[in-house]
Amino acid sequence: MKTKELIKNIIDESVKTKRKMLEIEQIEYIYNVADKIVETYRNKKKTIICGNGGSASDALHFAAEMVNRFEKNRGTLASIALSENISTITAIGNDFSYDCIFSRQLEAFAQKGDIFIAISTSGKSPNIIKALEVAKKLSIFTIGFTNSDGGKMKNICDLCYCAPSKITARTQECHILLIHIIAKIVEEKIFNQT
């Protein structure tokens, strides 16, 4: 396959996947996720996010949109990405297990009324599953971002957004769009009081 044709095919696949996000069930999940996050911020609580690899970057991206701004200059919103402190991550991985890198931090930071957002393109990452189990024990509301299959996360999370693809790259692209949609809704509802 020629490079230009490959580029066209990748873009076409991405567009087709995002079009699937327009389906009623997808819109309903996105609405419910955003609404729950808005409710959390209205109650002066925070979001705590985690993920591995590219999803770790998505967690950082989400937290940055909340803490700083998305499209408008406005007040700050409390959000912590558990993938941001490499010293903490490596200490936990070394002293306990890599499977504990998020759950140990969640035990330290989570408070009643917070939301824990777990991002996993497979829905099966052991450290994500362990963190979700700890969140349940702490009575923290959980939201998952995963693929169309949902993996183990689908049955553990209070709300689970399953991107309409099993391909990692397409799933991640949907997650970034989801983050931007949530950021827009949060800014509109929290700072415009609509």
Side-chain angles (χ1 to χ4, degrees):
M1 182 181 295
K2 294 181 181 176
T3 305
K4 288 182 182 176
E5 186 179 339
L6 175 66
I7 293 167
K8 182 180 178 297
N9 288 344
I10 291 169
I11 293 170
D12 186 52
E13 186 179 84
S14 181
V15 169
K16 284 178 181 173
T17 302
K18 288 190 184 77
R19 285 200 183 282
K20 290 178 185 174
M21 292 178 76
L22 292 168
E23 293 172 6
I24 297 297
E25 182 181 280
Q26 289 276 313
I27 297 289
E28 191 66 27
Y29 266 101
I30 294 167
Y31 173 83
N32 289 336
V33 166
D35 197 51
K36 187 64 181 174
I37 292 169
V38 165
E39 178 188 323
T40 298
Y41 283 128
R42 283 187 172 152
N43 291 329
K44 308 294 185 207
K45 297 299 180 180
K46 67 183 171 295
T47 54
I48 303 171
I49 315 103
C50 75
N52 295 296
S55 297
S57 296
D58 291 346
L60 291 166
H61 187 151
F62 186 103
E65 303 289 22
M66 298 298 106
V67 171
N68 186 37
R69 69 186 297 276
F70 177 59
E71 291 182 342
K72 61 170 69 176
N73 291 329
R74 41 84 172 164
T76 60
L77 296 167
S79 188
I80 300 169
L82 301 181
S83 52
E84 66 188 6
N85 189 328
I86 196 64
S87 294
T88 299
I89 291 167
T90 56
I92 294 168
N94 185 62
D95 295 344
F96 292 92
S97 159
Y98 188 75
D99 290 353
C100 299
I101 63 168
F102 300 133
S103 58
R104 295 275 299 168
Q105 292 186 77
L106 197 59
E107 288 172 347
F109 299 126
Q111 298 175 329
K112 188 175 181 180
D114 291 341
I115 284 184
F116 176 55
I117 301 169
I119 308 173
S120 171
T121 57
S122 70
K124 302 181 225 177
S125 304
N127 57 7
I128 300 283
I129 300 303
K130 186 169 182 64
L132 285 164
E133 290 166 352
V134 166
K136 289 291 177 196
K137 288 179 187 170
L138 298 172
S139 299
I140 302 298
F141 192 88
T142 58
I143 296 175
F145 294 2
T146 188
N147 67 12
S148 60
D149 177 63
K152 292 180 180 178
M153 285 175 58
K154 189 173 186 175
N155 296 320
I156 298 173
C157 296
D158 293 308
L159 279 175
C160 192
Y161 174 76
C162 299
S165 179
K166 287 186 181 179
I167 299 167
T168 298
R170 302 298 81 81
T171 297
Q172 288 175 327
E173 291 163 10
C174 291
H175 290 172
I176 285 293
L177 181 55
L178 177 62
I179 288 166
H180 288 163
I181 291 168
I182 291 167
K184 177 75 171 178
I185 291 169
V186 165
E187 282 191 344
E188 291 298 315
K189 291 198 169 192
I190 297 293
F191 297 97
N192 284 349
Q193 297 303 311
T194 58

